[in-house]
Amino acid sequence: MSLTDLTPEQLAVVDATAPSMIVRASAGSGKTTVLVAKYIRYVTEGGMSPAEVWTVTFTRKAAAEMKRRIVAELDRLGFSAAAQQAETGPIQTLHSACERILRENSLAAGLDPEFEIIEGHVRSAMVREALRNSVADMIERSPEASRLVDHLAGVRQYGFGSPLDSALEQTVSRLTEKLRAAGLRSQEVALDYADEEAVVRLWCQEMTAEARQSWPESPEINDALSASKAAQGLAERRLGVPEWLSSFSLEDADMTSGLVQLAVATWERLEALMMERQAFDFTSLESLAVRLIEQDAGVRERLSCQVRALLVDEAQDLNPNQYRLIDSIDAPFKMLVGDFQQSIYRFRDADPRLFLERAEQWPVFPLSVNHRSNKAVLDAVDQVFGFWWGEGLNRMEPSLRAEAPPVQAIELWTVDHKDTEGLAALVRQLVDEGHTPKSITLLCRDNKAMNDHARRLSRHGVPHQVIGGSETLYTRMEVRDIGNALRALVDQEDDDAMACFLHSPFVGLSLDGVVSALADRPLSRSLPTLALENEFDQSALDKFQSWFWPLQRRAARLSVWEVLSALFAESPYFESLARDPEATQRLANVRKLLSLAIDRPELSAHDFADQIREIQKLRHREGLGETMDDEADAVTIMTIHGSKGLEFETVVVPDTFKRPQNRDRVASDPRRGLVATRYSAKSSAFQMLQESDRRQEDAEAKRLVYVAMTRARKKLCLAVGGSATPLAAAIAKALGFPDHMPKGVHIREAPGP
DNA sequence: GGGTCTCGAGTTTTT
DNA sequence: CTCGAGACCC
């Protein structure tokens, strides 16, 4: 890359001297190129040192890529000293930036400079501890909280939530997380929800504000605006305002008060706990950094000398707290790069409206040339999103150098979104028609779907690799196998574990064999003398006898990784696993588990087995082991979230994004500090919040489709058939399905059942 | 196009 | 249990 290769739009960004600016970077518009070029300009002509140009991304991967390109470019231009500085400089994720600020100013922040960062189950254990303490405490102190606890104690959880997590604990901990990430002050929230009266007053205020927007002139609403009237019991007196506006259930106001009080207490307790142990999670890193900068003039001063430019990537995915961080840093140049249309991190409290608001205030530099996709793909994107967003869509120009689209660039696949079998058959067709597997990528919404597609593709003999996903590591078969193996080794009473273990690849007994073994219990006593009819089973059993009992005698005295090493060395586990079609992934998972075990040498096999079981119950997530393989000629399967920033020759969008139904009894808009419950009747506050939540969720579902479609370079296949979801139906309709499809859009029929 | 009934599924994405 | 989609009916 050199500056002469930049488009006029890109050059405008690099040349701009505005102190703060927004870059509206459409998909494939070369935003990383521009960020790198801007950085280079600052360093090579702006007299800044790499240490002074803070470059912030969301993912480690993006940060690494950014750094790689910056360093390479500085080297190429002969700035080798600067390249070296950039290598260790502040090109990093937002969370590492927070961490850096806190460690460098630990004295001012009142932190141990060696503080720990916690995630995963260590973190949730701490949340739970805080929660239990604060519940116990609040039952005594708050009548509202105690009424809520009584109420929830009688509520049964449907679905398969862990029995460990009561309805109460789930509800409170989730609300706590939301409030924590919203950048609010706990004392203020507590005040707003101090009792039933306060809650009704707050709801009334917000509802009337909301109603004002729809009916600005309504006199009834003016009436209702009087907060004192509201507090006297709007629900009873029905002030002649539209019913939905006044239908607050006082009982629900009471329980909402109790719930928020519990969440705030948990939040404060959790902060205290983290401080006490000097162990913080990501949310805390953010808010500690914000607090430090906002409240300490000295730190602010130091930072403003340190940071001469602040470049923020993927700014549409910043949450309110992160915006505060960006705003609190006093840098002479700030540049936010993002695309509203690609905001897909709502679940992490990303609020793309903040980006839009900022774009009203700061000069906006658009990057509208797409250097990735051919014209057919861009046209399809235009049609679908023009249909949804109208003038709101930022249309993209095809690059002058774009390749001509293939004959059949856009395909609508008439498979049902549930029919993964049919979809796999169609992928098979693509391969048979000459598309190489590695040119094809399936972009799924969730991990469950990824694994389903993977299995179907196996059945059709299509090579594939699943990237990144995180099907719960601890529920994967091999992890289960290992958990059972450990338990069978350390707990002689546990016949269930032993039975599963016998059937697992560690031993390899057939189900019949296991059943006959189970005839005589306990297994630890009967097994040594067991004889089986089936000769394969018998030989598997003999092999098992030879290594299992000696290991069992030692197991209690060994640490878990020693036990695991012995297990792997002596059982036929790896040989059996190697025959599995998903062997690579499975081995990676086993390796990952082993490395977890090696990290904790103090754990006994018993502890570790307990931990696996506990975590399985909690359905906790741990990333799977990495298995990226660029060389393999295999269809790639990944989530849309994982695909962000990447591009693929042919993209298949196999599922059509059904919004999971929301059974929550708590609705909230943390940005406004609003919470409502519906434990008794449905209150209008609850309905308002739930509806707005749904609207936002639906809007994000569309943006997900946008991200997926704009990953394609040459060819795009969209599953829209069968019992299509509303979203899929709209996509099909926008593309003229079935009778008015423009040139280049084709139908591929699902094969018969 | 809208109202009612039945049946199935059951909160996902990740720094 | 409870919601919502889809079927079925008018």
Side-chain angles (χ1 to χ4, degrees), chain A residues 664-667 676-678 682-690:
Chain A
D664 248 340
R665 290 174 176 278
V666 180
T677 60
R678 39 153 264 219
K682 257 192 195 181
S683 76
S684 44
F686 178 85
Q687 257 162 5
M688 172 187 89
L689 287 177
Q690 197 187 39

Side-chain angles (χ1 to χ4, degrees), chain A residues 286-408:
Chain A
E286 284 166 20
S287 43
L288 284 172
V290 169
R291 203 178 312 162
L292 176 67
I293 300 170
E294 282 182 348
Q295 294 176 2
D296 192 312
V299 171
R300 236 176 5 252
E301 180 67 31
R302 215 172 312 153
L303 267 176
S304 74
C305 301
Q306 233 177 347
V307 189
R308 292 184 57 193
L310 180 59
L311 312 179
V312 182
D313 194 15
E314 305 278 15
Q316 77 283 353
D317 285 325
L318 293 167
N319 70 28
N321 228 356
Q322 293 163 342
Y323 257 102
R324 274 176 70 175
L325 182 80
I326 303 296
D327 287 340
S328 67
I329 295 175
D330 177 26
F333 296 103
K334 283 187 192 175
M335 180 170 102
L336 302 188
V337 181
D339 179 10
F340 175 83
Q341 303 169 131
Q342 295 183 68
S343 174
I344 54 173
Y345 282 92
R346 208 171 89 81
F347 69 95
R348 232 172 43 193
D349 307 298
D351 188 345
R353 290 170 297 185
L354 298 169
F355 183 73
L356 288 184
E357 280 166 18
R358 201 51 60 102
E360 302 277 306
Q361 298 155 9
W362 291 3
V364 175
F365 292 75
L367 298 179
S368 52
V369 180
N370 179 303
H371 302 279
R372 173 183 299 153
S373 310
N374 62 35
K375 185 144 188 324
V377 171
L378 293 182
D379 284 348
V381 171
D382 262 10
Q383 277 159 26
V384 172
F385 294 92
F387 176 79
W388 274 329
W389 297 337
E391 289 310 300
L393 169 68
N394 296 326
R395 286 175 199 276
M396 294 179 283
E397 303 293 324
S399 156
L400 292 175
R401 274 180 258 161
E403 288 174 42
V407 190
Q408 204 157 311

